[in-house]
Amino acid sequence: MPRAERERQMLDAAVRTFGQRGYSAASMDEIAELVGVSKPLVYLYLNSKEELFIACIRRESEALVAAVTAGVEPGAPADRQLWTGLVAFFAHTAENPDGWAVLHRLARTSGEPFAAEVTKMRDALVAYVTGLIGATAREAHGAPDLSDGDVAGLAQALVGAAESLAAWANETPGVSAKEAAATLMNFAWTGLGNLMAGERWTAKATAFLLT
Amino acid sequence: MPRAERERQMLDAAVRTFGQRGYSAASMDEIAELVGVSKPLVYLYLNSKEELFIACIRRESEALVAAVTAGVEPGAPADRQLWTGLVAFFAHTAENPDGWAVLHRLARTSGEPFAAEVTKMRDALVAYVTGLIGATAREAHGAPDLSDGDVAGLAQALVGAAESLAAWANETPGVSAKEAAATLMNFAWTGLGNLMAGERWTAKATAFLLT
Amino acid sequence: MPRAERERQMLDAAVRTFGQRGYSAASMDEIAELVGVSKPLVYLYLNSKEELFIACIRRESEALVAAVTAGVEPGAPADRQLWTGLVAFFAHTAENPDGWAVLHRLARTSGEPFAAEVTKMRDALVAYVTGLIGATAREAHGAPDLSDGDVAGLAQALVGAAESLAAWANETPGVSAKEAAATLMNFAWTGLGNLMAGERWTAKATAFLLT
Amino acid sequence: MPRAERERQMLDAAVRTFGQRGYSAASMDEIAELVGVSKPLVYLYLNSKEELFIACIRRESEALVAAVTAGVEPGAPADRQLWTGLVAFFAHTAENPDGWAVLHRLARTSGEPFAAEVTKMRDALVAYVTGLIGATAREAHGAPDLSDGDVAGLAQALVGAAESLAAWANETPGVSAKEAAATLMNFAWTGLGNLMAGERWTAKATAFLLT
DNA sequence: CATGAATGAGCTTTCATTCAT
DNA sequence: AATGAATGAAAGCTCATTCAT
């Protein structure tokens, strides 16, 4: 069997094992057995547990970014881009729960080298969303005075919320990718829209609700 | 040194070690050394790594619920209760990052017995928030037709967003508890408010933004 | 509670625990807990696991010898003395299975110091039986030419058989002390009697059985 | 070194160590050191202390049964088969004192799973002896009315006596296999023969000896 | 008469990793 | 392209034993 194919199998097994057991609790034995090869071969190709895990992070990062990228329509309005991107994101994380676990749960909590690796991808997503929100804001009627920092913060929060929702959707049976995306848009975008329309919540801002 | 005090020290050390290393990677040796006692004493008092971890979860759960409970003003309007509760929540998680890591990151990913333990506390918080949102909705002018399921879903999403934001705030330097709470209110409540006013986002709902 | 009484309780618990778990597998913790006292008290009274075990051996040895001694009728014919002694022996071992386990199974297999201790008692029993068999032989009609060595060997074998039968009787439900003793007499004494009458088994000695 | 050979070495060392120290007191460290390998290799091949011990029991059981089986002459008269079988039995137990200790002393006293394992072999031996005694009885002149239960009991007792004698022979220097077998035949067979001839010992049955 | 607090040493077991082939 | 054989290091856990009170 050619090396590239074997490596793919190894990464598949590793993502599955890491995703289900966690980094420390996963064992090289189990991964090798899952592939059906001997441990030395895994070491020959991937060198160490650490490098194997990093390879997993990289592959899953690229796969996720590719899925989201493939999901957006280049020329569409910004909010439609966001919507389709979110659907693609939730669809991908739902189809690859172990890969998502590697990126979201494990990479950020298993030591610095791994966290750094996944932060790259996250930053790329945040930058992309920042661009979308900024564009929307600029295009908007009566564009509100959102600073660049505000926009960046919104993007961070939106990505954070999406990540959280992805984990939640994976844990909650019966939640489709579209529903997760709709929830986020329902929940966040209307708020975003109002924010962008210049509204801010204060202790009194919702008083009308209680009249 | 009396047993109760020692146990407290052990839980402190355990929360810190688990929070920073993860469940599997944390070693009983390290915890014992952090306390300044021998390992057998830790086993004498807490029985096993598993039970020690569960004791951590329980203590941190109770501390978090107590902090939030102490933060809300009983007689205040629902949205004010939510606001003060959120501030208390973010303040507590910011002051106890390792405790929060134990509850949020570790307990849910280190096997069933732990997940079950932390789910109890989460359910209590969700129920509490469900009550608040329901009350707000009922009191609201022109109360929208939110079903009980809608309210429960909103509460789930709000708690999930708060959890995600707490993790984000802990990772992001310079974000105070008040800012985190304000972000969530800005971000979610306005959306909530609109939802409760009967608005839903659709592909066309934000079209005006782009005019 | 007076010391003597406490020590008795400790030996009771120790015999039970050693008998059921074996010397190595028995733990001082379990023994102390069984008595309902703290471990230091056990050490204060019995000094160490080794000394505790030796104390068990001594007590059970004495109890066994006392039981057998109390069972024999001093003036009776030798074979009757043997019979009643055996009944007493089997009755005692059946009533004290853990004590018997300590003497028979454990003391001889848990290191030299213990084996030496139990050998004393065994030797006393063998000597007693040697005397009985020798007396019987001397008294016998047409006394056979049994050497002292022969007699000693027979006594060894008889004691060994009794010990083995005791273990077997303890493992086999529904075997009373009398039945065990009768089995041994049926099985051994007739052979002994014939031996003492000068008969020896050879390949041809039982040929008549096969005619 | 090939695995099969290593496993054999490990079982050799384990039988020796278990036989001399007992199950609990034996340490995997000592066994590994005796083989001249590291502990993990022992675990790789034999999985656990428990499985290692069971493997010892199985191997020694099979070896013992094989030795006895190889010792008997198929076509010979029943009592001659018994005689040669006993000689083989005592020769084997004398040459493998540790193996015999594993089967006789340890396996039956170190917990259920082990006892069950050795009981299988014992039952096979008892069944074999039952067959021999039954055959002898049936062939005998003026065959006595021994019930099947009687025969089974005699076989049990004979095997028990042989086991006890084997332990005794191993402890007593200068006792050859033939002498041990002769002792048992002297001691038991004459009794058996008489039993089968319908005689039973009673308090008066040996009175003539004392005249 | 009795114990709560504490530990050094050892146990079984697992794991990431390598070497010779 | 692949593996059988092997290990140093460390983990979770237990135990006999002691000291201060």
Side-chain angles (χ1 to χ4, degrees), chain C residues 48-126:
Chain C
S48 75
K49 193 184 187 182
E50 216 171 297
E51 283 192 35
L52 171 57
F53 190 46
I54 287 184
C56 290
I57 296 174
R58 285 210 180 111
R59 194 185 70 164
E60 294 305 313
S61 282
E62 282 162 19
L64 176 57
V65 169
V68 171
T69 303
V72 299
E73 301 169 28
D79 73 322
R80 168 135 197 102
Q81 286 194 35
L82 196 54
W83 162 253
T84 52
L86 283 173
V87 172
F89 174 82
F90 287 118
H92 183 82
T93 55
E95 282 160 20
N96 297 71
D98 292 325
W100 176 239
V102 164
L103 294 177
H104 182 56
R105 281 204 335 248
L106 305 179
R108 294 154 90 181
T109 65
S110 304
E112 251 315 295
F114 308 137
E117 200 60 40
V118 81
T119 294
K120 286 185 203 165
M121 176 226 35
R122 193 181 203 272
D123 288 349
L125 283 184
V126 169

Side-chain angles (χ1 to χ4, degrees), chain C residues 24, chain D residues 14 17-19 21-31 49:
Chain C
S24 300
Chain D
T17 307
F18 284 133
R21 301 245 187 280
Y23 178 71
S24 303
S27 96
M28 298 297 274
D29 274 281
E30 187 177 356
I31 293 169
K49 192 182 187 182

Side-chain angles (χ1 to χ4, degrees), chain C residues 156-183:
Chain C
Q156 280 279 3
L158 187 57
V159 169
E163 290 173 345
S164 172
L165 264 184
W168 171 69
N170 271 0
E171 290 164 2
T172 313
V175 177
S176 73
K178 276 203 178 154
E179 283 163 342
T183 296

